[in-house]
Amino acid sequence: MQPSSTAATITTGQRGRILAYQASGQGSVSVAGIQHAFDVATHWRSDVAPAINAVVDVGFDDAGSLATVSAVATQQLAQEEMAGAAKLARDKGQQLWGKAVSALGIKVLATLGVLIAGAFVFNTLGIRLFASVSRTYWQLLGLSADSLENFARDGGGGFTSAQFFFLTAIAACCATMASSQPKAALGKCAPLLFVVVHSSLLLIKIKGAVSEAGNAMGGIMGSRAARMAEQMASEMLGQVWQGLSFGIGFYLVLAASIVLAAYGVGEYKRKSVC
């Protein structure tokens, strides 16, 4: 290949990959699927020797002939890959957001944002029993109410089934993104259903834990003091309720769940009529 004139304008910025290179200085570079022969003495513009499979920056003159071949630094390649990955993630995020806005609407998305913020950011429950602690709704889902001490002090360990079902309930709100069936809109009722079921089970567990504590005291005091033990259990249950206080997270989760359910039922009715 003839060397380009020094007066010719050289366009660079096209990436290629070295396919072959010989000790004589002759090699081949591929640019956009097209192979071009190069010579180290004529075309190579880097301080390091060419290497097979190395990514290079290729320049062409006005006539379209190969003019320069330069090695691309590994750090620059890494930065470009990161920039490409970030751009891809941004584009995918914009596409997903556009699809979510089209399928769900801004009001539903905003309500979901309130639900998530209320569950993960704000305190939902204050507990003043053995110690004074505050829990977010997400942390509350990871607590064990099998005993009063565990409920008051347990910081939660690992990922629980309650947390899994809560995330599933949130995902169910987006069912209309995958299905146009009217019943898919009822997925927005899932968070409210979960909150009601989980709260009911939690209250039952707390009441059961208090009863077990009272029964244990009755066993220690003897059968004659069973009535006294029952009264003590009732008083303990009252103290437990007094020791619980709801935070803003509780009201945000509850309100957002109710609003989402209302949106879901309304959407289901509209689609069913149509």
Side-chain angles (χ1 to χ4, degrees):
M1 184 172 289
Q2 297 295 327
S4 59
S5 171
T6 56
T9 302
I10 298 176
T11 59
T12 60
Q14 299 190 55
R15 286 295 160 83
R17 187 178 295 274
I18 296 178
L19 300 178
Y21 177 69
Q22 302 175 359
S24 61
Q26 303 297 317
S28 176
V29 61
S30 175
V31 181
I34 302 176
Q35 297 185 25
H36 303 269
F38 71 91
D39 180 83
V40 169
T42 304
H43 306 107
W44 192 247
R45 296 294 185 271
S46 297
D47 295 333
V48 296
I52 296 177
N53 289 326
V55 178
V56 292
D57 188 25
V58 182
F60 295 91
D61 59 22
D62 293 336
S65 300
L66 186 71
T68 62
V69 181
S70 306
V72 179
T74 303
Q75 182 178 3
Q76 182 177 350
L77 284 175
Q79 292 176 348
E80 291 176 356
E81 290 177 356
M82 291 178 62
K87 183 178 183 302
L88 179 61
R90 184 170 59 252
D91 293 342
K92 291 294 183 181
Q94 291 175 348
Q95 292 176 5
L96 182 61
W97 173 254
K99 185 177 180 180
V101 170
S102 176
L104 302 177
I106 292 295
K107 292 182 179 179
V108 172
L109 290 174
T111 307
L112 274 173
V114 173
L115 173 64
I116 293 172
F120 290 90
V121 178
F122 297 98
N123 288 330
T124 294
L125 191 66
I127 307 170
R128 297 185 304 274
L129 296 176
F130 300 93
S132 180
V133 294
S134 297
R135 308 292 189 193
T136 63
Y137 190 71
W138 180 255
Q139 291 172 334
L140 184 63
L141 296 178
L143 297 181
S144 172
D146 294 335
S147 71
L148 293 178
E149 186 174 1
N150 288 339
F151 181 68
R153 295 179 178 175
D154 189 9
F159 187 72
T160 64
S161 58
Q163 291 173 333
F164 169 78
F165 286 117
F166 178 66
L167 294 179
T168 303
I170 293 178
C173 294
C174 304
T176 49
M177 294 180 62
S179 175
S180 59
Q181 295 296 323
K183 290 183 179 180
L186 295 178
K188 298 179 181 66
C189 300
L192 181 60
L193 178 62
F194 175 85
V195 169
V196 172
V197 172
H198 176 262
S199 299
S200 300
L201 293 176
L202 186 61
L203 293 177
I204 292 173
K205 282 188 175 183
I206 293 175
K207 187 175 181 179
V210 173
S211 297
E212 288 181 4
N215 292 335
M217 290 183 179
I220 295 174
M221 298 171 62
S223 58
R224 295 182 178 179
R227 183 176 298 179
M228 184 180 298
E230 183 179 350
Q231 183 178 358
M232 290 178 60
S234 178
E235 293 177 355
M236 287 177 59
L237 185 60
Q239 291 177 358
V240 169
W241 298 143
Q242 292 178 2
L244 301 180
S245 60
F246 296 108
I248 187 174
F250 169 79
Y251 298 104
L252 290 177
V253 169
L254 182 60
S257 299
I258 294 173
V259 172
L260 285 171
Y263 282 142
V265 173
E267 183 180 349
Y268 171 74
K269 290 181 178 179
R270 290 194 302 271
K271 289 184 176 180
S272 296
V273 172
C274 295

